Amino acid sequence: MKIQDFQNKITCGEFDNILSKIYKPQDMESQKSRYIAAVEKFTALYPNRSDIHFYSAPGRTEIGGNHTDHQHGCVIAGAVDLDVIGVAAFHDEGIIRIKSEGYDEFAVSLNDLDVHIGEKGSSEIVRGIAARFKDLGIKIGGFDMYTTSNVLGGSGISSSAAFETLVATAIDSYYNDNQIGAIEIAKIGQYAENFYFGKKSGLMDQMVCSVGGFVFLDFQNIQNPSIRKIDFDLSQTGYELIITDTKGDHSDLTDDYVAVRTEMDEVAEYFGKKVLREVDENQFWDNMPDIKKKISDRAVLRAIHFFGDNYRAKAETDALENGRFDDFLALVNESGYSSMNYLQNLYSCRKPTEQGIPLAIMIGKRVLKGKGAIRVHGGGFAGTIQAFVPHELVNTYRSEMDRMFGQNSCYIMTIRPCGGIEIK
């Protein structure tokens, strides 16, 4: 599409149908302005490109199942209305150039797709995505892209998975006519993050960002996870889903995240298994004293959390599908208690004085007074909490969080029905 045509169509409302599916009604005009501004930035960066394509990929919120995906467990999650958008022009130069708002432009040659030892960041993510497409025998090609995101980095809403989904969706859409699909795009994003960026993440983030909607995910078969859309409308419950950013620093927490997975793996290895999903829970309880002796107290507690939260993800799904929202809220609170006391991912033991997440949960409970639900959100140790807040308490809740963590600390989320898409 010609640049001028895109600007005219979005101004005249020709994209309103698709935009209304991914953004709140009250945000439509600001989103249109955002898209137009992105086109203007792209044109200034790449003035020789006249034909453009527009893509959007959402962030995600984890609803249930905290640190269960990497043990091949169950998760409930949803794509949200915060997203990364990208303007792209495709060409045959054999190079992918990307300029993201707030970051320097980088370029990846499609003739150099080996891992660059010591190199980190978005360039390695993109190199890994392109390499995986090539390894799978799927067509790749060059393009220039400008991106802008309101999926804040370190917010627990998975800005990295959203970016990975955006890039892979653009390649699949333009060069392969969307043939590989959302599930394979998620696996490609995880591959790039695991083997090129060096972060041994599970598949949940990429899967939700790519598939979209409100979903139950079962990773028992990690190569072909089971995905079930949950027919549930939060807007009919009288509650809002609010993510609060405690402004914690994620920059040096890799060891904490790795330790969770490592300790769970060690318990699985005790039974000759690779992951806890393969371990018989009754055998785990029978052998607990020996596991404690040979591994550690914390590893035992983290395994207990896995077994509990894996069950709760299924029970939460059942509660939502059968209209038992009060039961769902009780299970969310149980998950929060388990994360605090067993998983122990509310703050880093290496930074014991920095406890933004426990502080936020305390403030939230004081406001909620037994209503709704509240828990750590995402990987934990620093960052965000999640709460289901009754409508009548939303203003008080936001005011108290802003008072403690700064203005605009809260994000009221809606669940976006689609994953990575082209806007056309």
Side-chain angles (χ1 to χ4, degrees):
M1 185 183 301
K2 298 296 183 183
I3 289 175
Q4 189 61 51
D5 289 342
F6 182 90
Q7 291 173 319
N8 290 338
K9 286 185 176 183
I10 199 166
T11 301
C12 295
E14 291 190 33
F15 294 118
D16 283 7
N17 186 47
I18 189 169
L19 294 179
S20 66
K21 293 179 181 178
I22 60 179
Y23 303 115
K24 301 183 188 77
Q26 62 266 33
D27 294 338
M28 286 285 287
E29 292 307 314
S30 63
Q31 289 295 338
K32 289 181 184 181
S33 298
R34 179 183 175 218
Y35 277 67
I36 291 170
V39 172
E40 292 172 350
K41 295 283 183 62
F42 176 88
T43 302
L45 286 165
Y46 308 109
N48 297 326
R49 309 299 186 194
S50 58
D51 290 316
I52 62 170
H53 295 257
F54 232 112
Y55 300 93
S56 163
R60 69 97 186 102
T61 181
E62 171 200 291
I63 306 294
N66 194 215
H67 280 279
T68 53
D69 62 321
H70 53 71
Q71 295 300 306
H72 297 194
C74 299
V75 177
I76 305 177
V80 297
D81 55 327
L82 300 182
D83 66 345
V84 55
I85 60 175
V87 192
F90 296 86
H91 50 68
D92 59 2
E93 297 171 14
I95 295 174
I96 297 174
R97 302 181 188 91
I98 297 181
K99 171 69 171 74
S100 294
E101 183 179 18
Y103 298 89
D104 293 335
E105 182 194 57
F106 64 85
V108 171
S109 170
L110 299 182
N111 294 318
D112 178 19
L113 298 180
D114 294 331
V115 177
H116 287 202
I117 303 299
E119 183 177 331
K120 297 292 183 183
S122 298
S123 61
E124 279 302 275
I125 290 288
V126 172
R127 183 173 285 109
I129 290 171
R132 191 58 178 163
F133 269 93
K134 185 176 180 180
D135 290 345
L136 294 171
I138 302 168
K139 186 177 180 181
I140 57 174
F143 57 90
D144 299 335
M145 178 180 278
Y146 173 79
T147 79
T148 180
S149 177
N150 58 17
V151 187
L152 301 178
S155 64
I157 313 173
S158 203
S159 57
S160 58
F163 177 77
E164 292 155 13
T165 299
L166 182 82
V167 172
T169 297
I171 295 172
D172 184 38
S173 175
Y174 185 82
Y175 286 109
N176 301 284
D177 196 26
N178 296 307
Q179 290 184 11
I180 68 170
I183 292 175
E184 195 61 44
I185 282 174
K187 294 177 183 178
I188 288 170
Q190 184 201 25
Y191 174 89
E193 195 163 296
N194 287 179
F195 296 103
Y196 277 72
F197 188 72
K199 182 180 179 182
K200 298 301 181 182
S201 63
L203 186 56
M204 186 265 286
D205 292 354
Q206 291 83 1
M207 190 67 75
V208 180
C209 292
S210 185
V211 171
F214 196 26
V215 294
F216 171 77
L217 303 165
D218 186 338
F219 292 104
Q220 185 168 25
N221 181 344
I222 198 68
Q223 298 305 316
N224 293 289
S226 173
I227 303 170
R228 186 165 92 238
K229 293 274 187 174
I230 300 173
D231 184 13
F232 174 73
D233 186 356
L234 181 65
S235 68
Q236 301 302 309
T237 65
Y239 285 79
E240 297 283 3
L241 171 59
I242 302 181
I243 303 296
T244 300
D245 185 0
T246 69
K247 314 296 174 65
D249 184 5
H250 282 75
S251 61
D252 59 350
L253 295 174
T254 299
D255 290 346
D256 294 291
Y257 298 131
V258 170
V260 172
R261 183 168 185 170
T262 298
E263 290 173 16
M264 289 185 180
D265 287 348
E266 287 173 346
V267 175
E269 289 169 7
Y270 174 91
F271 293 95
K273 307 296 184 180
K274 291 185 177 180
V275 292
L276 286 173
R277 183 65 179 271
E278 300 171 350
V279 174
D280 182 276
E281 185 177 354
N282 291 325
Q283 290 185 13
F284 165 77
W285 288 103
D286 290 343
N287 288 273
M288 190 186 300
D290 195 45
I291 300 170
K292 163 184 162 58
K293 184 187 302 181
K294 292 182 177 177
I295 306 177
S296 70
D297 294 349
R298 192 172 69 174
V300 168
L301 289 167
R302 284 176 164 170
I304 290 170
H305 167 81
F306 168 80
F307 290 120
D309 242 32
N310 192 53
Y311 160 78
R312 275 185 288 271
K314 300 174 189 177
E316 287 166 352
T317 301
D318 181 71
L320 291 177
E321 291 181 331
N322 289 282
R324 295 183 285 105
F325 192 64
D326 287 343
D327 291 345
F328 167 79
L329 293 175
L331 289 162
V332 172
N333 279 321
E334 285 181 19
S335 177
Y337 179 90
S338 179
S339 293
M340 178 182 294
N341 292 286
Y342 306 146
L343 183 60
Q344 300 177 34
N345 68 330
L346 271 61
Y347 64 92
S348 172
C349 292
R350 295 178 295 109
K351 297 180 176 180
T353 62
E354 298 178 20
Q355 298 196 27
I357 289 176
L359 183 58
I361 289 174
M362 181 277 297
I363 294 168
K365 286 183 176 181
R366 186 168 180 266
V367 172
L368 292 173
K369 296 179 180 177
K371 297 180 179 180
I374 193 166
R375 48 159 272 191
V376 63
H377 177 251
F381 297 107
T384 58
I385 65 165
Q386 176 188 86
F388 292 88
V389 180
H391 286 162
E392 67 270 17
L393 294 178
V394 166
N395 289 338
T396 303
Y397 184 93
R398 295 180 71 179
S399 176
E400 283 299 287
M401 291 299 178
D402 286 351
R403 189 167 72 92
M404 182 60 65
F405 301 107
Q407 290 299 307
N408 302 315
S409 295
C410 293
Y411 304 89
I412 297 178
M413 301 290 181
T414 59
I415 301 298
R416 162 174 161 159
C418 55
I421 55 170
E422 181 175 0
I423 305 296
K424 61 180 180 178

